[in-house]
Amino acid sequence: MGLLAPLFLAVGAVALAIPVLVHLIHRERSETIAFPSLMFLQRIPYRSVRRQKIRHWLLFLLRCAALVLLATAFARPFFQRDDRALGGGAGGRELVILLDQSYSMGYRDHWQRALAAAHRAVDGMGSNDKATIVLFSDEARAVNRATGDRAALAAALDTTRVTSRSTRYGTALKMARTVLEESRLPRREVVLITDFQKAGWTADESSRLPNGTTLTRVDLSDPGTSNLTVTSVSFQRDYPEGRERVLVSARMTNKGAEPARGIALGLELSGREIQSRKVDLGSNSAAAVTFAPFLLPEGTARGSVRAAADWLPADNAFHFTLAQGQALSVLIVEPSGGTDRSLYLRRALAVGDHPAFRTETRRTSQLTQADLAGRSLVILDDAGIPTPDLARLLQDFVTGGGGLLVVAGERTGPGSFASEATPLLPATTGGLMDRATISGGKLTRIDYSHPVFELFSAPRSGDFSGARFFRYRRLETRNDGQTVRRLDGQTVKSGSQSPTVRPSDRPTASVLASFDDGSPALVESALGKGKVLVWASTLDNYWSDFAVQPVFLPFLHQLAKYGAGYTEAAAWHTVGEAVDVGGTGGRAGGPGGPGTDRSELVAVS
């Protein structure tokens, strides 16, 4: 016989003093008799006896018995039975062994003790018993069908390993219930072998075992634990003298009641430690450690931030990959013979670091095919496309995956584009709109669901209404008689069709933002693997005060990243995460695009 809560029985024993005190303290009241005079009575000494005796023994014993029964009920007694002796009887037993293989089971000797407990459960099976081994972490799977072959069960246990997944008890108990409900054996038992992580159970999980099921717990937890973990790694890149340099920062935590002093933390690259640091951590605290910047080698390098080993070495190392080419190469093309108007544009792109932008400037008369090699984005800053050769050069660049941003200014009127550039552009520039006399135009209709403006969709994340546009170009979105989508749901019809361009050659245009008079401010289209965007005003302080607004810098970065098709390449993935493995996406080496295969990442040693 055993007790689930023996403390209640001890409390009940103390409570037995209550009936004793009641019977000993209780005293009978003496009867008072009224008497008219005491002059004829003789005074005699009176002795008071203070010792009390228990007079009502039956009542006393009943009160004590009530307290003993109440305390015993709260102590929850149970009777143990020898299942091995019963196993050889006529009624067999359906046994489900729930073995926790989450990564916390790698702490100290938990996994070895768990396997030993599972083997004991298998060895204790009777001749009519059947067992199923269920391995669980955040998901559960049965490694075998219900069987009485103890040798096969022992062999299955010997092939199991600790995983890198978290703990969830609900999935394991639900699978155990399914196995038990399908069984026809008269007795059912579940053996739960785990370290009982608190995070493994949530309040919304309700998993009940079938009635009559015996639950045997094997608790592998330790009263006091400690663990050092490298939880995350971040990178900062810069480009001194044209070479890519990386600064690595790691975050380390101490989950323990004792402080950790002088913990060695090393930075490894391609299997070789290149830097090391000493870290002091207080109890239940975290700290950030920054290594010295280093030049990134060519190709893809495998790196690790590794701390000294402790009782749980699985989370003492954080692995990642680093590759060159994360910066976006931007070519700014200015009109031949014009003044330098790309100052605001260059300065705004120079402060970017996620990703970094490397900018170069060329004139339209100097632009060659070699200048476009390796570029992510070309910006025509108030520069048209005056020659057919330049139009074909840019069209090949965009269809191959590059991005083109056309900034319409003073020099990008209707005659600044060759007819061969029509298939390339989602909109052609029209006449000049002068709004200086009425305090300028404003951006009103903005598609905040688009990637360019999605960053500004939350409250207080950027206000475009404060910018004033004194001049901008009228954009003609189509000239082939077809329709184009606008933000207000209306359609725009164009005039006559160009005789040199077929309608099927024209890109499909979308208006992403408009001025308050309905004129398009930003138009985009997809052409081949790349994108083309047309901005109806300048990106300086000549035609508007947009360049001095707080929203200008993040908007320009979003516009450049979207035009270049940039997707940041992940330096690491989490175990259990679904990743694209069928190809690469953006020109910056991001994950695969639509149509690629997806696979679940698993931990390997």
Side-chain angles (χ1 to χ4, degrees), residues 198-479:
K198 292 182 179 180
W201 184 264
T202 56
D204 57 343
E205 289 181 310
S206 57
S207 300
R208 299 179 61 87
L209 297 174
N211 294 331
T213 301
T214 302
L215 177 62
T216 303
R217 301 177 300 166
V218 180
D219 189 354
L220 304 175
S221 61
D222 293 333
T225 59
S226 62
N227 184 33
L228 298 175
T229 308
V230 182
T231 58
S232 63
V233 174
S234 60
F235 310 98
Q236 292 184 2
R237 300 171 184 252
D238 59 0
Y239 302 87
E241 300 178 356
R243 300 190 62 183
E244 191 167 3
R245 189 172 62 177
V246 179
L247 183 144
V248 178
S249 299
R251 182 174 179 82
M252 191 173 179
T253 61
N254 175 25
K255 295 294 184 181
E258 298 295 331
R261 305 296 182 188
I263 303 300
L265 189 66
L267 173 61
E268 300 177 2
L269 197 66
S270 299
R272 181 175 61 89
E273 184 175 282
I274 60 175
Q275 297 183 44
S276 62
R277 293 285 188 273
K278 293 291 186 180
V279 185
D280 293 333
L281 291 172
S283 60
N284 295 311
S285 63
V289 181
T290 302
F291 296 92
F294 59 92
L295 293 176
L296 191 63
E298 295 183 358
T300 301
R302 298 178 60 183
S304 301
V305 175
R306 194 181 304 273
D310 59 359
W311 288 116
L312 186 59
D315 56 6
N316 285 37
F318 197 103
H319 306 287
F320 56 87
T321 60
L322 287 174
Q324 289 184 345
Q326 290 296 295
L328 290 181
S329 179
V330 180
L331 179 64
I332 301 175
V333 181
E334 296 179 340
S336 300
T339 58
D340 182 11
R341 290 192 175 183
S342 61
L343 176 63
Y344 285 89
L345 189 58
R346 295 196 309 269
R347 292 290 179 86
L349 294 178
V351 299
D353 57 356
H354 292 289
F357 298 94
R358 290 183 293 177
T359 61
E360 293 185 40
T361 305
R362 293 288 188 274
R363 300 287 182 177
T364 53
S365 59
Q366 302 171 343
L367 192 63
T368 64
Q369 186 174 3
D371 295 325
L372 301 181
R375 304 293 182 183
S376 303
L377 177 67
V378 174
I379 301 178
L380 297 180
D381 190 15
D382 197 15
I385 307 178
T387 64
D389 291 339
L390 183 58
R392 286 189 291 266
L393 189 64
L394 292 175
Q395 185 170 359
D396 292 340
F397 170 74
V398 174
T399 54
L404 177 63
L405 173 60
V406 179
V407 180
E410 183 179 358
R411 295 174 176 265
T412 51
S416 58
F417 295 89
S419 59
E420 287 78 5
T422 307
L424 177 65
L425 301 175
T428 56
T429 56
L432 183 65
M433 301 295 297
D434 194 343
R435 301 284 299 275
T437 58
I438 53 175
S439 301
K442 294 182 180 297
L443 288 176
T444 53
R445 297 168 181 169
I446 298 175
D447 185 3
Y448 286 103
S449 64
H450 193 272
V452 172
F453 297 101
E454 188 177 7
L455 178 67
F456 313 99
S457 59
R460 295 183 298 276
S461 59
D463 184 13
F464 287 89
S465 62
R468 296 178 299 171
F469 295 85
F470 306 109
R471 288 184 178 182
Y472 51 85
R473 288 284 179 182
R474 177 77 71 179
L475 296 183
E476 300 293 337
T477 53
R478 298 300 291 263
N479 62 356

Side-chain angles (χ1 to χ4, degrees), residues 78-130:
F78 64 92
F79 294 93
Q80 296 177 338
R81 60 183 181 182
D82 190 355
D83 288 333
R84 296 184 59 179
L86 295 174
R93 177 180 52 146
E94 188 69 41
L95 177 64
V96 179
I97 301 175
L98 300 180
L99 180 58
D100 185 1
Q101 61 170 175
S102 61
Y103 97 100
S104 64
M105 292 292 290
Y107 184 82
R108 213 163 187 171
D109 60 345
H110 287 184
W111 183 244
Q112 291 74 18
R113 292 162 54 195
L115 289 179
H119 278 289
R120 288 195 301 268
V122 171
D123 295 338
M125 293 173 56
S127 58
N128 295 330
D129 294 348
K130 291 184 178 181

Side-chain angles (χ1 to χ4, degrees), residues 526-545:
L527 184 64
K529 297 180 180 179
K531 300 181 181 67
V532 181
L533 299 106
V534 179
W535 176 248
S537 186
T538 60
L539 293 175
D540 52 29
N541 63 346
Y542 284 90
W543 281 12
S544 70
D545 63 354

